[in-house]
Amino acid sequence: MNEIARPTSFRDGLFRGSPGKVAMALLLAHGQLYAQEDKNEENPTLGTVVVQHERLTPAEQARTRIENIPGGASVVDSAQVELGKAATVQDILAYQPGVFVQSVGGNDAIKVSIRGSGIQSAPGNMTEGIKFLFDGLALTGPGGTSYELFEPLGLDHTEVLRGANAFDYGAVTLGGAINFVSANGLNAPGTRVHVEGGKYGYRKAFAGTGGTLGDADYHFSVKESRRDGFQRQTFKRAEGLSANLGYRFSPDLESRLILRYNEEFHEQSAPLTRARLRHDPSDTTSAYRVSRSNVDKYGSFLAGLKTTWQIDDHSLLEVGLAYYKYPQKLNRYSTTPSTSDYRDLNPSIRYIRNDTLFGLPSETIASWYYTRHVKGETDAYQRNADGSLTHTKKSRYKGSYDNVFVLGNTLDLTRDLKLLTGLTAIQVRRDVELAYSAAPINSGYSDRVNYDNWSLAPRLGLSWQLNPTLQVFANASRSINPVATWGYSPSTFSTAVNFVKQLEEQKANTLEVGLRVKTERLDGSLVLYRSWLRDELLTVELSPTTETSSALVTTSNADKTMHQGVEAGLAATLWEHGGHRLSLRQAYTFSDFRFRGDDTFGSNYLPNVPRHIYQAELHYQQAGGFYASLNVQARSDYYIDYANTFKSNGYALLGARLGYQAPQRKWSVFLDGSNLTDREYASSTNVVYDAQGKDTASFYPGDGIGVVAGLDFRF
């Protein structure tokens, strides 16, 4: 029999075991293996072995890895997203169970929450409780994650790893991790031009080119977008560029340089009362009209270098270093403008060893992730009658860092039963100083927090492949959510609030059980989880939005809370014949988040998250390339205050899509319609401490009926 060559790297194989097992597993899973027999019937012999192998795409490789994770995880293929509009990251995260996305003004200022992570954050603020990465390099730092680099075009796929299922990326937060994997010269060769535009002055242009030069590969892209907005004063513009440069020094050693730059400016409009939302959702308040509230992210930059060395047949080493700069100016025309400048340095090391333990196949991961503010400061000002500015406050966060050590193992107890064990140690250091204040420090408070604490986060999981189509799993884990550096200061804008408060990191113990089903016609998952939390980070509103002023908020620790829910996703082929296909994909999320015996709120529901979220799309694909689909997005009502006295109404939005995609995706065209019934609804809300049953200005209007058309060309 001819020898079967092993894959050249873990990236090609993605199966544990000996080289022969690795190659055989790949061939059986994604290719064909058969023998040519000798025709002598009296003495048949096995002749030449013929191997036909189809190389896995990066998205397929990611799905193969995820199949070994005993919990909620999924992969979003960008080719599926780009069948319709790709305006913001909200288009990527659609149809992902357990993921809740809110937006303001239809622009990039979004809020992403997984299993209730970061529910205290307002849309457009730094996202907390989720670790975001580009190509495995951390974007998230001690200040959380800014959103302006979240661009859906120019990606190959996105990994969504909920909760402890993001263990391999050193994510110890309740929400887990989201890893954006960018296109490169190997998986996206050639040149591509994409344009789309539609209602509310929306237009977007993207161009990218990639290829190989010997052992090097490259991919460059640029994009520009504009949007006038549905609500008054929600204009947005953004420009950016990215580069992905790779070089293979040998079959076992390669490096990849990731560069991303973006400028983004958008106006901020006012939240409305529910009554005003129904009457005129495009309206705003006089205070916002006068202040011209806005956010200017005038130059965010990410530079990352990752080197991968396959040491031998059984071990792999990854070394990464990322630098992230994200300055911004807020409300520069208002009476209280402010600036901030954060710069993070994020080194990482990950070692993977495939071997045997107790005579059983084993994979061990040892890694270190570190993220540090090399610069972090905010400045607040007061505008005088003559237009000049008076410096009122300065906060410094330099020296704050998260230091994470990870040790994990996957042990094959049998061919179908895997045991996952792991332990994470995390050091949280916060050095926050109110370096200057024009007004005196509030009585009884301090002007500095110097916090340093170590915590342990264990993980234990089981994955059982009952048969080729059904897998069941369970895991138990602990999560740690550090406080974002800016969260220690109650308000940047208020000159009356001057102190730095003590906060604890949020802790949670989580149990999770579920199953995956995969056949030729079905691909689905069902996950049930419960998290017991202590010191949950929740927002308290100091004063609400009014016609003449904006809300002031702060973050505080709750006592005991609980998050539990159901995450269900199903993609099904309903009918297929002669290249024609009718399919249905669905995602359902049930969220039951509440206090546990709170002195003030008892067992009340936590606000700002719908208990029920349902998304579905019925898609028809014609053999010649035409396609059409209908979709629905539905959310139940939910409370906007901790006292549970006032609600945001639920809604259902209807959408449709038509398009054509030429063979080999040489060119495509689409027409994407949303909110076709022109429903008035709140896309996001602010949290109120106690609304006392009154209709408060907490509701951000969602877009009215919208239509977007797009063209895509590949050369």
Side-chain angles (χ1 to χ4, degrees):
M1 178 179 294
N2 292 353
E3 181 182 358
I4 301 176
R6 69 176 179 86
T8 59
S9 71
F10 279 78
R11 298 173 299 283
D12 297 330
L14 300 172
F15 290 85
R16 291 193 305 277
S18 65
K21 283 180 63 180
V22 170
M24 187 66 73
L26 265 174
L27 295 168
L28 293 176
H30 298 280
Q32 299 179 22
L33 176 65
Y34 60 92
Q36 295 177 347
E37 294 185 359
D38 192 317
K39 297 303 181 181
N40 185 346
E41 296 181 0
E42 296 180 358
N43 186 26
T45 60
L46 185 63
T48 303
V49 171
V50 178
V51 175
Q52 295 180 348
H53 168 57
E54 180 181 351
R55 185 181 179 88
L56 294 174
T57 66
E60 290 170 336
Q61 292 178 15
R63 288 193 182 95
T64 302
R65 291 194 304 272
I66 281 174
E67 288 174 359
N68 290 321
I69 296 176
S74 55
V75 174
V76 182
D77 194 329
S78 292
Q80 179 73 20
V81 175
E82 293 167 7
L83 291 176
K85 71 178 178 66
T88 71
V89 73
Q90 189 169 10
D91 298 310
I92 296 178
L93 299 177
Y95 306 100
Q96 298 305 302
V99 181
F100 176 50
V101 183
Q102 292 179 311
S103 66
V104 176
N107 57 41
D108 296 336
I110 65 167
K111 169 186 170 181
V112 183
S113 177
I114 298 178
R115 297 183 176 178
S117 64
I119 60 175
Q120 83 281 4
S121 300
N125 283 356
M126 301 284 196
T127 298
E128 297 181 76
I130 302 172
K131 185 173 184 178
F132 288 87
L133 308 99
F134 271 102
D135 299 282
L137 297 172
L139 191 68
T140 299
T145 312
S146 194
Y147 56 80
E148 63 273 8
L149 293 183
F150 296 171
E151 170 54 50
L153 293 173
L155 299 177
D156 181 85
H157 65 277
T158 301
E159 301 171 3
V160 181
L161 308 167
R162 303 187 287 279
N165 305 301
F167 178 86
D168 287 356
Y169 285 126
V172 292
T173 55
L174 179 67
I178 295 177
N179 182 35
F180 301 109
V181 180
S182 56
N184 58 50
L186 300 176
N187 60 40
T191 298
R192 177 190 179 194
V193 176
H194 178 100
V195 293
E196 58 183 48
K199 286 198 69 174
Y200 313 120
Y202 171 64
R203 56 193 184 276
K204 185 173 189 176
F206 170 91
T209 185
T212 58
L213 295 170
D215 292 324
D217 70 90
Y218 62 89
H219 191 278
F220 301 97
S221 67
V222 295
K223 66 103 179 197
E224 186 271 343
S225 66
R226 293 287 189 278
R227 192 178 192 273
D228 296 333
F230 168 72
Q231 188 185 17
R232 293 184 182 91
Q233 199 170 298
T234 54
F235 169 79
K236 183 209 90 168
R237 69 170 185 269
E239 300 87 23
L241 55 87
S242 66
N244 187 326
L245 309 173
Y247 189 82
R248 176 163 286 196
F249 299 94
S250 73
D252 298 324
L253 180 65
E254 68 177 23
S255 289
R256 193 160 292 280
L257 176 65
I258 308 296
L259 301 172
R260 303 187 78 88
Y261 176 83
N262 194 77
E263 297 178 1
E264 192 259 4
F265 172 89
H266 71 264
E267 295 176 328
Q268 295 187 116
S269 197
L272 307 176
T273 63
R274 195 170 69 181
R276 197 166 181 177
L277 180 90
R278 292 173 175 171
H279 175 68
D280 185 1
S282 65
D283 198 8
T284 190
T285 65
S286 59
Y288 276 77
R289 280 193 292 266
V290 172
S291 68
R292 297 171 61 194
S293 180
N294 61 78
V295 176
D296 185 3
K297 295 179 177 290
Y298 55 90
S300 296
F301 175 65
L302 172 68
L305 179 66
K306 185 168 75 171
T307 298
T308 305
W309 176 30
Q310 187 173 332
I311 302 171
D312 53 36
D313 289 348
H314 303 285
S315 54
L316 180 76
L317 180 67
E318 290 181 350
V319 179
L321 180 64
Y323 172 77
Y324 181 28
K325 174 184 176 182
Y326 45 114
Q328 67 176 0
K329 299 176 182 178
L330 301 179
N331 306 324
R332 61 183 179 183
Y333 307 116
S334 75
T335 57
T336 56
S338 68
T339 64
S340 65
D341 190 357
Y342 295 91
R343 304 179 189 186
D344 296 342
L345 193 64
N346 304 333
S348 62
I349 300 174
R350 184 165 74 153
Y351 174 76
I352 306 174
R353 175 75 181 177
N354 287 272
D355 211 331
T356 59
L357 183 64
F358 309 119
L360 300 173
S362 166
E363 179 182 272
T364 299
I365 295 179
S367 53
W368 170 65
Y369 299 91
Y370 183 82
T371 176
R372 184 186 186 96
H373 277 334
V374 294
K375 181 177 182 180
E377 57 188 38
T378 60
D379 290 274
Y381 302 88
Q382 183 73 40
R383 189 176 300 280
N384 303 314
D386 62 358
S388 63
L389 297 177
T390 298
H391 192 197
T392 58
K393 193 181 300 184
K394 185 180 189 68
S395 299
R396 287 200 183 103
Y397 315 113
K398 182 180 178 180
S400 299
Y401 60 79
D402 297 335
N403 191 19
V404 180
F405 295 89
V406 178
L407 181 62
N409 178 264
T410 300
L411 188 65
D412 291 3
L413 301 178
T414 69
R415 186 181 65 178
D416 300 319
L417 183 63
K418 301 179 188 298
L419 172 67
L420 282 79
T421 55
L423 180 65
T424 299
I426 176 171
Q427 180 190 15
V428 178
R429 170 73 187 279
R430 294 292 181 265
D431 189 352
V432 179
E433 178 189 11
L434 184 57
Y436 169 75
S437 175
I441 304 300
N442 293 72
S443 177
Y445 291 93
S446 172
D447 63 351
R448 186 166 186 178
V449 166
N450 198 337
Y451 180 81
D452 193 342
N453 187 52
W454 282 90
S455 299
L456 295 177
R459 180 199 184 204
L460 178 67
L462 279 172
S463 173
W464 185 16
Q465 194 71 41
L466 289 171
N467 56 53
T469 63
L470 178 61
Q471 179 191 77
V472 296
F473 51 79
N475 73 71
S477 63
R478 183 170 175 80
S479 63
I480 306 292
N481 282 46
V483 185
T485 49
W486 52 268
Y488 287 89
S489 177
S491 173
T492 301
F493 308 107
S494 175
T495 56
V497 182
N498 295 286
F499 60 87
V500 177
K501 60 184 180 295
Q502 296 286 340
L503 290 171
E504 300 285 335
E505 59 261 47
Q506 171 185 304
K507 286 84 65 178
N509 297 320
T510 300
L511 291 178
E512 178 179 353
V513 297
L515 58 86
R516 292 190 184 96
V517 177
K518 190 168 186 178
T519 69
E520 289 185 359
R521 290 183 172 270
L522 293 176
D523 188 354
S525 64
L526 175 66
V527 174
L528 293 82
Y529 71 91
R530 173 177 286 185
S531 299
W532 293 266
L533 290 83
R534 276 192 173 274
D535 301 317
E536 181 169 6
L537 297 165
L538 297 176
T539 293
V540 176
E541 190 173 68
L542 300 178
S543 63
T545 297
T546 68
E547 184 67 31
T548 58
S549 66
S550 302
L552 295 177
V553 298
T554 186
T555 301
S556 295
N557 289 116
D559 185 13
K560 293 187 291 185
T561 53
M562 180 187 70
H563 293 197
Q564 61 183 355
V566 178
E567 302 164 347
L570 180 65
T573 299
L574 305 179
W575 171 80
E576 192 170 19
H577 178 72
H580 306 285
R581 184 170 179 263
L582 182 66
S583 61
L584 175 67
R585 59 173 174 164
Q586 304 173 85
Y588 169 71
T589 301
F590 170 71
S591 301
D592 181 14
F593 306 156
R594 62 179 70 203
F595 292 101
R596 290 189 291 146
D598 187 80
D599 291 341
T600 302
F601 298 118
S603 299
N604 280 6
Y605 293 114
L606 296 176
N608 214 23
V609 177
R611 284 171 61 80
H612 304 277
I613 301 175
Y614 177 74
Q615 297 173 290
E617 180 185 54
L618 184 65
H619 182 85
Y620 170 70
Q621 181 69 55
Q622 189 255 357
F626 289 98
Y627 59 88
S629 64
L630 291 173
N631 63 75
V632 64
Q633 300 182 40
R635 295 178 181 178
S636 64
D637 55 14
Y638 58 89
Y639 290 108
I640 66 165
D641 65 331
Y642 297 111
N644 290 178
T645 67
F646 203 79
K647 285 185 175 183
S648 174
N649 289 335
Y651 60 85
L653 306 179
L654 180 66
R657 183 181 298 166
L658 294 171
Y660 172 78
Q661 191 171 76
Q664 287 78 52
R665 298 176 64 191
K666 292 295 184 182
W667 66 275
S668 61
V669 59
F670 69 82
L671 189 66
D672 196 330
S674 58
N675 192 11
L676 297 180
T677 60
D678 203 17
R679 175 69 184 268
E680 295 167 352
Y681 70 101
S683 63
S684 180
T685 54
N686 284 337
V687 175
V688 181
Y689 184 75
D690 183 357
Q692 300 179 352
K694 299 177 182 178
D695 187 0
T696 64
S698 299
F699 302 88
Y700 292 96
D703 286 353
I705 185 171
V707 178
V708 173
L711 289 168
D712 193 282
F713 298 92
R714 299 171 189 263
F715 308 96

